[in-house]
Coordinates of all heavy atoms in Angstrom, one line a residue:
M1 N 0.8 -1.2 0.0 CA 0.0 0.0 0.0 C 0.9 1.2 0.0 O 1.8 1.3 0.7 CB -0.9 0.0 1.2 CG -1.8 1.2 1.3 SD -2.9 0.9 2.7 CE -2.9 2.6 3.4
N2 N 0.6 2.2 -0.8 CA 1.3 3.4 -0.9 C 0.8 4.4 0.1 O -0.3 5.0 -0.1 CB 1.2 4.0 -2.3 CG 2.1 5.2 -2.5 OD1 2.6 5.8 -1.5 ND2 2.2 5.6 -3.7
T3 N 1.5 4.6 1.2 CA 1.0 5.5 2.3 C 1.1 7.0 1.9 O 0.3 7.8 2.3 CB 1.8 5.3 3.6 OG1 3.2 5.5 3.3 CG2 1.6 4.0 4.2
A4 N 2.0 7.3 1.0 CA 2.1 8.7 0.5 C 0.8 9.1 -0.2 O 0.3 10.2 0.0 CB 3.3 8.9 -0.4
A5 N 0.3 8.2 -1.0 CA -0.9 8.5 -1.8 C -2.1 8.6 -0.8 O -3.0 9.5 -1.0 CB -1.2 7.5 -2.8
A6 N -2.1 7.8 0.3 CA -3.2 7.9 1.2 C -3.2 9.2 2.0 O -4.2 9.7 2.3 CB -3.1 6.7 2.2
T7 N -2.0 9.8 2.3 CA -2.0 11.0 3.1 C -2.2 12.2 2.2 O -2.6 13.3 2.7 CB -0.6 11.2 3.8 OG1 0.4 11.2 2.8 CG2 -0.4 10.1 4.8
D8 N -2.0 12.1 0.9 CA -2.2 13.2 0.0 C -3.6 13.3 -0.6 O -4.0 14.2 -1.3 CB -1.2 13.2 -1.2 CG 0.2 13.4 -0.7 OD1 0.4 14.0 0.3 OD2 1.1 13.0 -1.5
A9 N -4.4 12.2 -0.3 CA -5.7 12.1 -0.9 C -6.6 13.2 -0.3 O -6.5 13.5 0.9 CB -6.3 10.7 -0.6
P10 N -7.5 13.8 -1.1 CA -8.5 14.7 -0.5 C -9.4 14.0 0.4 O -9.7 12.8 0.3 CB -9.2 15.3 -1.8 CG -9.0 14.2 -2.8 CD -7.7 13.5 -2.5
P11 N -10.0 14.8 1.3 CA -10.9 14.1 2.2 C -12.2 13.6 1.5 O -12.7 14.2 0.6 CB -11.3 15.2 3.2 CG -11.0 16.5 2.5 CD -9.9 16.2 1.5
Q12 N -12.7 12.5 1.9 CA -13.9 11.9 1.4 C -15.0 12.4 2.4 O -14.7 12.9 3.5 CB -13.8 10.4 1.4 CG -12.7 9.9 0.4 CD -12.6 8.4 0.5 OE1 -13.4 7.8 1.1 NE2 -11.6 7.9 -0.2
P13 N -16.2 12.3 1.9 CA -17.3 12.7 2.9 C -17.2 12.0 4.2 O -17.1 10.8 4.3 CB -18.6 12.3 2.1 CG -18.2 12.3 0.7 CD -16.7 11.9 0.7
G14 N -17.1 12.8 5.3 CA -16.9 12.3 6.6 C -15.5 11.8 6.9 O -15.2 11.3 7.9
G15 N -14.6 12.1 5.9 CA -13.2 11.7 6.1 C -12.4 12.8 6.8 O -12.9 13.8 7.3
L16 N -11.1 12.6 6.7 CA -10.1 13.5 7.4 C -9.5 14.4 6.3 O -9.2 14.0 5.2 CB -9.0 12.7 8.1 CG -9.4 11.8 9.1 CD1 -8.2 11.0 9.7 CD2 -10.1 12.4 10.3
D17 N -9.4 15.7 6.7 CA -8.6 16.6 5.8 C -7.2 16.6 6.2 O -6.7 15.9 7.1 CB -9.2 18.0 5.8 CG -9.2 18.7 7.2 OD1 -8.4 18.2 8.1 OD2 -9.9 19.7 7.4
E18 N -6.4 17.3 5.5 CA -4.9 17.3 5.7 C -4.6 17.8 7.1 O -3.7 17.2 7.7 CB -4.2 18.2 4.6 CG -2.7 18.2 4.7 CD -2.1 16.8 4.4 OE1 -2.7 16.0 3.7 OE2 -1.0 16.6 5.0
R19 N -5.2 18.8 7.6 CA -4.9 19.3 9.0 C -5.2 18.2 10.0 O -4.4 17.9 10.9 CB -5.7 20.5 9.3 CG -5.3 21.0 10.7 CD -6.1 22.2 11.1 NE -7.5 21.7 11.5 CZ -8.4 22.4 12.2 NH1 -8.1 23.6 12.5 NH2 -9.5 21.9 12.5
D20 N -6.3 17.5 9.8 CA -6.6 16.4 10.7 C -5.6 15.3 10.7 O -5.1 14.8 11.8 CB -8.0 15.8 10.4 CG -9.1 16.7 10.6 OD1 -9.0 17.7 11.3 OD2 -10.2 16.4 10.1
R21 N -5.1 14.9 9.5 CA -4.0 13.9 9.4 C -2.7 14.4 10.0 O -2.0 13.7 10.7 CB -3.8 13.5 7.9 CG -5.0 12.7 7.4 CD -4.7 12.2 6.0 NE -4.6 13.2 5.0 CZ -5.5 13.6 4.2 NH1 -6.7 13.1 4.3 NH2 -5.3 14.5 3.3
Q22 N -2.4 15.7 9.9 CA -1.2 16.3 10.5 C -1.3 16.3 12.0 O -0.3 16.0 12.7 CB -1.0 17.7 9.9 CG -0.6 17.7 8.5 CD -0.5 19.1 7.9 OE1 -0.9 20.1 8.6 NE2 0.1 19.3 6.7
I23 N -2.5 16.6 12.5 CA -2.7 16.6 14.0 C -2.5 15.2 14.5 O -1.8 15.0 15.5 CB -4.1 17.1 14.3 CG1 -4.0 18.6 14.1 CG2 -4.4 16.8 15.8 CD1 -5.4 19.3 14.3
L24 N -3.0 14.2 13.8 CA -2.8 12.8 14.3 C -1.3 12.4 14.2 O -0.8 11.8 15.1 CB -3.7 11.8 13.5 CG -5.2 11.9 13.8 CD1 -5.9 11.0 12.8 CD2 -5.5 11.6 15.2
A25 N -0.7 12.8 13.1 CA 0.8 12.5 13.0 C 1.6 13.2 14.1 O 2.5 12.7 14.7 CB 1.3 13.0 11.6
F26 N 1.2 14.5 14.4 CA 1.8 15.2 15.5 C 1.6 14.5 16.9 O 2.6 14.3 17.6 CB 1.3 16.6 15.6 CG 1.8 17.4 16.8 CD1 3.1 17.9 16.7 CD2 1.0 17.6 17.9 CE1 3.6 18.7 17.8 CE2 1.5 18.4 18.9 CZ 2.8 18.9 18.9
E27 N 0.4 14.0 17.1 CA 0.2 13.3 18.4 C 1.0 12.0 18.5 O 1.3 11.6 19.6 CB -1.3 13.0 18.5 CG -2.1 14.1 19.0 CD -1.7 14.7 20.4 OE1 -1.5 13.8 21.3 OE2 -1.6 15.9 20.5
R28 N 1.3 11.4 17.4 CA 2.1 10.2 17.4 C 3.6 10.5 17.8 O 4.2 9.7 18.4 CB 2.2 9.5 16.0 CG 1.1 8.5 15.8 CD 1.4 7.7 14.5 NE 1.6 8.5 13.3 CZ 0.6 8.9 12.6 NH1 -0.7 8.7 13.0 NH2 0.8 9.6 11.5
Q29 N 4.0 11.7 17.5 CA 5.4 12.0 17.7 C 5.7 13.4 18.3 O 6.8 13.9 18.2 CB 6.1 12.0 16.3 CG 6.0 10.7 15.6 CD 6.7 10.6 14.3 OE1 7.1 11.7 13.8 NE2 6.9 9.5 13.8
W30 N 4.8 14.0 19.0 CA 5.0 15.3 19.6 C 6.2 15.4 20.5 O 6.9 16.4 20.6 CB 3.8 15.9 20.3 CG 3.4 15.2 21.5 CD1 2.5 14.2 21.7 CD2 4.0 15.4 22.8 NE1 2.5 13.8 23.0 CE2 3.4 14.6 23.7 CE3 4.9 16.4 23.3 CZ2 3.7 14.5 25.1 CZ3 5.2 16.3 24.7 CH2 4.6 15.4 25.5
W31 N 6.5 14.3 21.2 CA 7.6 14.3 22.1 C 9.0 14.5 21.5 O 10.0 14.8 22.1 CB 7.6 13.0 22.9 CG 7.5 11.8 22.1 CD1 6.3 11.2 21.7 CD2 8.5 11.1 21.4 NE1 6.6 10.2 20.8 CE2 7.9 10.1 20.7 CE3 9.9 11.2 21.4 CZ2 8.7 9.1 19.9 CZ3 10.7 10.3 20.7 CH2 10.0 9.3 20.0
K32 N 9.0 14.4 20.1 CA 10.3 14.6 19.4 C 10.6 16.1 19.2 O 11.7 16.4 18.8 CB 10.2 13.9 18.0 CG 10.3 12.4 18.1 CD 10.3 11.8 16.7 CE 10.3 10.3 16.8 NZ 10.3 9.7 15.4
Y33 N 9.6 17.0 19.4 CA 9.8 18.4 19.2 C 10.4 19.0 20.4 O 10.1 18.7 21.6 CB 8.5 19.1 18.9 CG 7.9 18.7 17.6 CD1 7.0 17.6 17.5 CD2 8.2 19.4 16.4 CE1 6.5 17.2 16.3 CE2 7.6 19.0 15.2 CZ 6.8 17.9 15.2 OH 6.3 17.5 14.0
A34 N 11.4 19.9 20.2 CA 12.0 20.6 21.3 C 11.0 21.6 21.9 O 10.2 22.1 21.2 CB 13.3 21.3 20.8
G35 N 11.2 21.8 23.2 CA 10.3 22.8 23.9 C 9.0 22.2 24.3 O 8.8 21.0 24.3
S36 N 8.1 23.1 24.6 CA 6.8 22.6 25.1 C 5.9 22.2 24.0 O 6.0 22.6 22.8 CB 6.1 23.7 25.9 OG 5.6 24.7 25.1
K37 N 5.0 21.3 24.3 CA 4.0 20.8 23.3 C 3.1 22.0 22.8 O 2.8 22.1 21.6 CB 3.1 19.7 23.9 CG 2.1 19.1 22.9 CD 1.4 18.0 23.6 CE 0.4 17.4 22.6 NZ -0.3 16.3 23.1
E38 N 2.7 22.9 23.8 CA 1.9 24.0 23.4 C 2.6 24.9 22.4 O 2.0 25.4 21.5 CB 1.5 24.8 24.7 CG 0.5 24.1 25.5 CD 1.1 23.0 26.4 OE1 2.3 22.9 26.5 OE2 0.3 22.2 26.9
Q39 N 3.9 25.1 22.6 CA 4.7 26.0 21.6 C 4.7 25.3 20.2 O 4.6 25.9 19.2 CB 6.1 26.3 22.1 CG 6.8 27.2 21.2 CD 6.2 28.6 21.2 OE1 5.8 29.2 22.2 NE2 6.0 29.1 20.0
A40 N 5.0 24.0 20.2 CA 5.0 23.2 19.0 C 3.6 23.3 18.3 O 3.6 23.5 17.1 CB 5.4 21.8 19.2
V41 N 2.5 23.2 19.0 CA 1.2 23.3 18.5 C 1.0 24.7 17.8 O 0.5 24.8 16.7 CB 0.1 23.0 19.6 CG1 -1.2 23.5 19.1 CG2 0.1 21.6 19.9
H42 N 1.4 25.7 18.5 CA 1.3 27.0 18.0 C 2.1 27.2 16.7 O 1.7 27.8 15.7 CB 1.7 28.1 19.0 CG 1.4 29.5 18.5 ND1 2.4 30.2 17.9 CD2 0.3 30.3 18.6 CE1 1.9 31.4 17.6 NE2 0.6 31.4 18.0
D43 N 3.4 26.7 16.7 CA 4.3 26.9 15.6 C 3.8 26.1 14.4 O 3.9 26.6 13.3 CB 5.7 26.4 16.0 CG 6.3 27.3 17.0 OD1 5.8 28.5 17.2 OD2 7.4 26.9 17.6
L44 N 3.3 24.9 14.6 CA 2.9 24.0 13.5 C 1.5 24.3 12.9 O 1.3 24.2 11.7 CB 3.0 22.5 13.9 CG 4.4 22.0 14.2 CD1 4.3 20.6 14.8 CD2 5.2 22.0 12.9
F45 N 0.6 24.6 13.8 CA -0.8 24.7 13.4 C -1.4 26.1 13.6 O -2.5 26.3 13.1 CB -1.7 23.7 14.2 CG -1.2 22.3 14.1 CD1 -0.6 21.6 15.1 CD2 -1.3 21.6 12.9 CE1 -0.2 20.3 15.0 CE2 -0.9 20.3 12.7 CZ -0.3 19.6 13.8
G46 N -0.7 27.0 14.3 CA -1.2 28.3 14.5 C -2.4 28.3 15.4 O -3.3 29.2 15.2
L47 N -2.5 27.4 16.3 CA -3.7 27.2 17.2 C -3.2 27.4 18.6 O -2.1 27.1 19.0 CB -4.3 25.8 17.0 CG -4.9 25.4 15.7 CD1 -5.3 23.9 15.7 CD2 -6.0 26.3 15.3
S48 N -4.1 28.0 19.4 CA -3.9 28.0 20.8 C -4.0 26.6 21.4 O -4.6 25.7 20.7 CB -4.9 28.9 21.5 OG -6.2 28.3 21.5
A49 N -3.4 26.3 22.5 CA -3.5 25.0 23.1 C -5.0 24.6 23.3 O -5.4 23.5 23.1 CB -2.7 25.0 24.4
T50 N -5.8 25.5 23.8 CA -7.2 25.2 24.0 C -7.9 24.8 22.7 O -8.6 23.8 22.7 CB -7.9 26.5 24.6 OG1 -7.3 26.8 25.9 CG2 -9.4 26.2 24.9
R51 N -7.7 25.6 21.7 CA -8.4 25.2 20.4 C -7.8 23.9 19.9 O -8.6 23.1 19.3 CB -8.2 26.4 19.4 CG -8.8 26.1 18.1 CD -10.3 26.0 18.2 NE -10.9 25.6 17.0 CZ -11.9 24.8 16.9 NH1 -12.5 24.2 17.9 NH2 -12.4 24.4 15.7
Y52 N -6.5 23.7 20.0 CA -5.9 22.4 19.5 C -6.6 21.2 20.2 O -7.0 20.2 19.5 CB -4.4 22.4 19.8 CG -3.8 21.1 19.5 CD1 -3.5 20.8 18.2 CD2 -3.5 20.2 20.5 CE1 -2.9 19.5 17.9 CE2 -2.9 19.0 20.2 CZ -2.6 18.6 18.9 OH -2.0 17.4 18.6
Y53 N -6.8 21.3 21.5 CA -7.3 20.2 22.2 C -8.8 20.0 21.9 O -9.3 18.9 21.9 CB -7.1 20.3 23.7 CG -5.7 20.0 24.1 CD1 -4.8 20.9 24.5 CD2 -5.2 18.7 23.9 CE1 -3.5 20.6 24.8 CE2 -3.8 18.4 24.1 CZ -3.0 19.4 24.6 OH -1.7 19.1 24.8
Q54 N -9.5 21.1 21.6 CA -10.9 21.0 21.1 C -10.9 20.2 19.8 O -11.8 19.3 19.6 CB -11.5 22.4 20.9 CG -11.8 23.1 22.2 CD -12.2 24.5 22.0 OE1 -12.0 25.1 21.0 NE2 -12.8 25.1 23.0
V55 N -10.0 20.6 18.9 CA -10.0 19.9 17.6 C -9.6 18.5 17.8 O -10.2 17.5 17.2 CB -9.0 20.6 16.6 CG1 -8.7 19.8 15.4 CG2 -9.5 22.0 16.3
L56 N -8.6 18.2 18.6 CA -8.2 16.8 18.8 C -9.3 16.0 19.4 O -9.5 14.8 19.0 CB -6.9 16.8 19.8 CG -6.4 15.4 20.1 CD1 -6.0 14.7 18.9 CD2 -5.2 15.6 21.1
N57 N -10.0 16.5 20.4 CA -11.1 15.8 21.0 C -12.2 15.5 20.0 O -12.8 14.4 20.0 CB -11.7 16.5 22.2 CG -10.9 16.2 23.5 OD1 -10.6 15.0 23.8 ND2 -10.5 17.2 24.2
G58 N -12.4 16.4 19.1 CA -13.4 16.1 18.0 C -12.9 15.0 17.1 O -13.7 14.1 16.7
L59 N -11.6 15.0 16.8 CA -11.0 13.9 16.0 C -11.1 12.6 16.7 O -11.4 11.6 16.0 CB -9.5 14.2 15.8 CG -9.2 15.0 14.5 CD1 -7.7 15.3 14.5 CD2 -9.6 14.3 13.3
L60 N -11.0 12.5 18.0 CA -11.0 11.3 18.7 C -12.4 10.6 18.6 O -12.5 9.4 18.7 CB -10.6 11.4 20.1 CG -9.2 11.8 20.4 CD1 -8.9 11.9 21.9 CD2 -8.2 10.9 19.7
D61 N -13.4 11.5 18.4 CA -14.8 11.0 18.2 C -15.2 10.7 16.8 O -16.3 10.3 16.5 CB -15.8 11.9 18.9 CG -15.6 12.1 20.4 OD1 -15.2 11.1 21.0 OD2 -15.8 13.2 20.9
N62 N -14.3 11.0 15.9 CA -14.5 10.8 14.4 C -14.2 9.4 14.0 O -13.0 9.0 14.1 CB -13.7 11.9 13.7 CG -14.0 11.9 12.2 OD1 -14.5 10.9 11.6 ND2 -13.7 13.0 11.6
P63 N -15.1 8.7 13.4 CA -14.8 7.3 12.9 C -13.7 7.3 11.9 O -13.0 6.3 11.8 CB -16.2 6.8 12.4 CG -17.2 7.7 13.0 CD -16.5 9.0 13.3
A64 N -13.6 8.3 11.1 CA -12.6 8.4 10.1 C -11.2 8.4 10.7 O -10.2 7.8 10.2 CB -12.8 9.6 9.1
A65 N -11.1 9.1 11.8 CA -9.8 9.1 12.5 C -9.4 7.7 13.1 O -8.3 7.3 13.0 CB -9.8 10.1 13.7
L66 N -10.4 7.1 13.6 CA -10.2 5.7 14.1 C -9.8 4.8 12.9 O -8.9 4.0 13.1 CB -11.5 5.2 14.7 CG -11.4 3.8 15.4 CD1 -10.4 3.7 16.5 CD2 -12.8 3.4 15.9
A67 N -10.4 4.9 11.8 CA -10.0 4.1 10.6 C -8.6 4.5 10.2 O -7.8 3.6 9.7 CB -11.0 4.3 9.5
H68 N -8.2 5.7 10.3 CA -6.9 6.2 9.8 C -5.8 5.7 10.7 O -4.8 5.3 10.1 CB -6.9 7.7 9.7 CG -5.6 8.3 9.3 ND1 -5.2 8.3 8.0 CD2 -4.6 9.0 10.0 CE1 -4.0 8.9 7.9 NE2 -3.7 9.3 9.1
D69 N -6.0 5.7 12.0 CA -4.9 5.3 12.9 C -5.5 4.7 14.2 O -5.6 5.4 15.2 CB -4.0 6.5 13.2 CG -2.7 6.1 13.9 OD1 -2.6 5.0 14.5 OD2 -1.7 6.9 13.8
P70 N -6.0 3.5 14.1 CA -6.8 2.9 15.2 C -6.0 2.8 16.5 O -6.5 3.1 17.6 CB -7.2 1.6 14.7 CG -6.5 1.3 13.4 CD -5.9 2.6 12.9
M71 N -4.7 2.5 16.5 CA -4.0 2.3 17.7 C -3.8 3.7 18.4 O -4.0 3.8 19.6 CB -2.6 1.7 17.4 CG -2.7 0.2 17.1 SD -1.1 -0.5 16.7 CE -0.3 -0.3 18.3
L72 N -3.5 4.7 17.7 CA -3.3 6.0 18.3 C -4.6 6.6 18.8 O -4.7 7.0 20.0 CB -2.8 7.0 17.2 CG -2.7 8.5 17.7 CD1 -1.6 8.6 18.8 CD2 -2.5 9.4 16.5
V73 N -5.7 6.5 18.1 CA -7.0 7.0 18.5 C -7.4 6.2 19.7 O -7.9 6.9 20.7 CB -8.0 7.0 17.4 CG1 -9.4 7.3 17.9 CG2 -7.6 7.9 16.3
K74 N -7.3 4.9 19.8 CA -7.7 4.2 20.9 C -6.9 4.5 22.2 O -7.4 4.7 23.3 CB -7.6 2.7 20.7 CG -8.7 2.2 19.7 CD -8.5 0.7 19.4 CE -9.6 0.2 18.4 NZ -9.4 -1.2 18.1
R75 N -5.6 4.7 22.0 CA -4.7 5.1 23.1 C -5.1 6.5 23.6 O -5.3 6.7 24.9 CB -3.3 5.1 22.7 CG -2.3 5.6 23.8 CD -0.9 5.5 23.4 NE -0.5 6.3 22.3 CZ -0.2 7.5 22.3 NH1 -0.2 8.2 23.5 NH2 0.2 8.2 21.2
L76 N -5.4 7.4 22.7 CA -5.8 8.8 23.2 C -7.1 8.8 23.8 O -7.4 9.5 24.8 CB -5.7 9.8 22.0 CG -4.3 10.0 21.4 CD1 -4.4 10.9 20.2 CD2 -3.4 10.7 22.5
R77 N -8.0 7.9 23.3 CA -9.4 7.8 24.0 C -9.2 7.3 25.4 O -9.9 7.7 26.3 CB -10.3 6.9 23.1 CG -10.8 7.5 21.9 CD -11.7 6.5 21.2 NE -12.3 7.1 20.0 CZ -13.1 6.3 19.2 NH1 -13.3 5.1 19.4 NH2 -13.6 6.9 18.1
R78 N -8.4 6.3 25.6 CA -8.1 5.7 26.9 C -7.6 6.8 27.9 O -8.0 6.9 29.0 CB -7.2 4.5 26.9 CG -7.8 3.2 26.4 CD -6.9 2.0 26.6 NE -5.6 2.2 26.1 CZ -5.2 1.8 24.9 NH1 -6.1 1.3 24.0 NH2 -4.0 2.0 24.5
L79 N -6.6 7.6 27.4 CA -6.1 8.6 28.2 C -7.1 9.7 28.6 O -7.2 10.1 29.7 CB -4.9 9.3 27.5 CG -3.6 8.5 27.3 CD1 -2.6 9.2 26.4 CD2 -3.0 8.2 28.7
R80 N -7.9 10.0 27.6 CA -9.0 11.0 27.8 C -10.0 10.5 28.9 O -10.4 11.2 29.8 CB -9.7 11.3 26.5 CG -10.8 12.3 26.7 CD -11.5 12.7 25.3 NE -12.2 11.5 24.8 CZ -12.8 11.6 23.6 NH1 -12.9 12.7 22.9 NH2 -13.5 10.5 23.1
A81 N -10.4 9.2 28.7 CA -11.3 8.6 29.7 C -10.7 8.6 31.1 O -11.4 8.8 32.1 CB -11.7 7.2 29.2
A82 N -9.4 8.3 31.2 CA -8.8 8.2 32.5 C -8.7 9.6 33.1 O -9.0 9.7 34.3 CB -7.3 7.7 32.4
R83 N -8.5 10.6 32.4 CA -8.5 12.0 32.9 C -9.9 12.4 33.3 O -10.0 13.0 34.4 CB -7.9 13.0 31.9 CG -6.4 12.9 31.7 CD -5.9 14.1 30.9 NE -6.4 14.1 29.5 CZ -6.0 13.5 28.5 NH1 -4.9 12.7 28.6 NH2 -6.5 13.6 27.3
Q84 N -10.9 12.0 32.6 CA -12.3 12.3 32.9 C -12.6 11.6 34.3 O -13.3 12.2 35.1 CB -13.2 11.9 31.8 CG -13.2 12.8 30.6 CD -14.0 12.3 29.5 OE1 -14.3 11.1 29.4 NE2 -14.3 13.2 28.5
R85 N -12.2 10.4 34.4 CA -12.5 9.7 35.7 C -11.8 10.3 36.9 O -12.4 10.5 37.9 CB -12.1 8.2 35.6 CG -13.0 7.3 34.8 CD -12.7 5.8 34.9 NE -11.3 5.5 34.5 CZ -11.0 5.2 33.3 NH1 -11.9 5.2 32.3 NH2 -9.7 4.9 33.0
Q86 N -10.6 10.8 36.7 CA -9.8 11.4 37.7 C -10.5 12.8 38.1 O -10.6 13.1 39.3 CB -8.4 11.7 37.3 CG -7.5 10.5 37.2 CD -6.2 10.7 36.6 OE1 -5.9 11.8 36.0 NE2 -5.2 9.8 36.8
R87 N -10.9 13.5 37.1 CA -11.6 14.8 37.4 C -12.9 14.5 38.2 O -13.3 15.2 39.1 CB -11.9 15.6 36.1 CG -10.7 16.3 35.6 CD -11.1 17.3 34.5 NE -11.7 16.7 33.4 CZ -11.1 16.2 32.3 NH1 -9.7 16.3 32.3 NH2 -11.7 15.7 31.3
S88 N -13.7 13.5 37.7 CA -14.9 13.2 38.4 C -14.7 12.8 39.9 O -15.4 13.2 40.8 CB -15.7 12.1 37.7 OG -16.1 12.5 36.4
A89 N -13.6 12.0 40.1 CA -13.3 11.5 41.4 C -12.9 12.7 42.3 O -13.3 12.7 43.5 CB -12.2 10.5 41.4
R90 N -12.2 13.6 41.8 CA -11.8 14.8 42.5 C -13.0 15.6 42.9 O -13.1 16.1 44.0 CB -10.8 15.7 41.8 CG -9.3 15.2 41.9 CD -8.4 16.3 41.4 NE -8.6 16.7 40.1 CZ -8.0 16.2 39.0 NH1 -7.1 15.2 39.1 NH2 -8.3 16.6 37.8
R91 N -13.9 15.8 42.0 CA -15.1 16.6 42.2 C -16.0 15.9 43.3 O -16.6 16.6 44.1 CB -15.9 16.7 41.0 CG -15.6 18.0 40.2 CD -16.5 18.2 39.1 NE -15.7 18.1 37.9 CZ -16.0 17.4 36.8 NH1 -17.1 16.7 36.8 NH2 -15.2 17.3 35.8
L92 N -16.0 14.6 43.3 CA -16.8 13.9 44.3 C -16.0 13.7 45.6 O -16.5 13.0 46.6 CB -17.2 12.6 43.8 CG -18.2 12.6 42.6 CD1 -18.4 11.3 42.0 CD2 -19.5 13.3 42.9
G93 N -14.7 14.1 45.7 CA -14.0 14.0 46.9 C -13.4 12.5 47.1 O -13.2 12.1 48.2
M94 N -13.3 11.8 46.0 CA -12.9 10.4 46.1 C -11.5 10.3 45.3 O -11.4 9.6 44.4 CB -13.9 9.5 45.4 CG -15.2 9.6 46.0 SD -16.5 8.9 44.9 CE -15.8 7.3 44.5
E95 N -10.5 11.0 45.8 CA -9.2 11.0 45.2 C -8.7 9.6 45.0 O -8.9 8.7 45.8 CB -8.2 11.7 46.1 CG -8.4 13.2 46.2 CD -8.0 14.0 45.0 OE1 -7.1 13.6 44.2 OE2 -8.7 14.9 44.7
T96 N -8.1 9.4 43.8 CA -7.6 8.0 43.5 C -6.1 7.9 43.8 O -5.4 8.8 43.9 CB -7.8 7.7 42.0 OG1 -7.2 8.7 41.2 CG2 -9.3 7.6 41.7

């Protein structure tokens, strides 16, 4: 399979656009960038950290993102769910 052709393909209805694919690629390898993740997000995508995480969370709920990179999306979904459980436990006074 030619992965270059897959990443250059235009989005299909309900599919991922180039920015979405770049965000997923960044999430796979963000730790390779020097400095803070927020600075890398701003430099690469021109987004604030808040907006970036809004876009990323939307991607995690997108079936096209799951089809594009299932291992990454499932890992990020697990991390998101764990953070949500921790926040809920703190709000209820049930520190973990």
Side-chain angles (χ1 to χ4, degrees):
M1 181 174 137
N2 184 349
T3 57
T7 58
D8 293 339
Q12 298 175 6
L16 301 177
D17 62 19
E18 184 61 27
R19 183 186 74 166
D20 293 342
R21 289 189 293 265
Q22 289 174 351
I23 287 174
L24 290 174
F26 175 76
E27 280 298 315
R28 267 193 305 279
Q29 301 181 346
W30 69 264
W31 48 269
K32 291 183 179 181
Y33 292 89
S36 73
K37 183 176 182 179
E38 288 77 15
Q39 186 62 46
V41 163
H42 185 267
D43 293 345
L44 292 170
F45 303 110
L47 299 172
S48 68
T50 301
R51 181 65 186 138
Y52 173 80
Y53 286 112
Q54 289 171 341
V55 171
L56 179 60
N57 276 309
L59 270 173
L60 295 182
D61 296 328
N62 185 337
L66 182 62
H68 178 74
D69 195 336
M71 289 180 60
L72 174 69
V73 171
K74 288 178 183 179
R75 178 174 60 84
L76 293 174
R77 284 178 176 178
R78 282 192 307 272
L79 290 170
R80 179 177 67 179
R83 285 190 302 271
Q84 288 172 338
R85 282 191 302 273
Q86 288 172 346
R87 280 193 300 272
S88 294
R90 275 195 304 267
R91 269 188 243 128
L92 296 174
M94 301 167 47
E95 291 289 326
T96 56

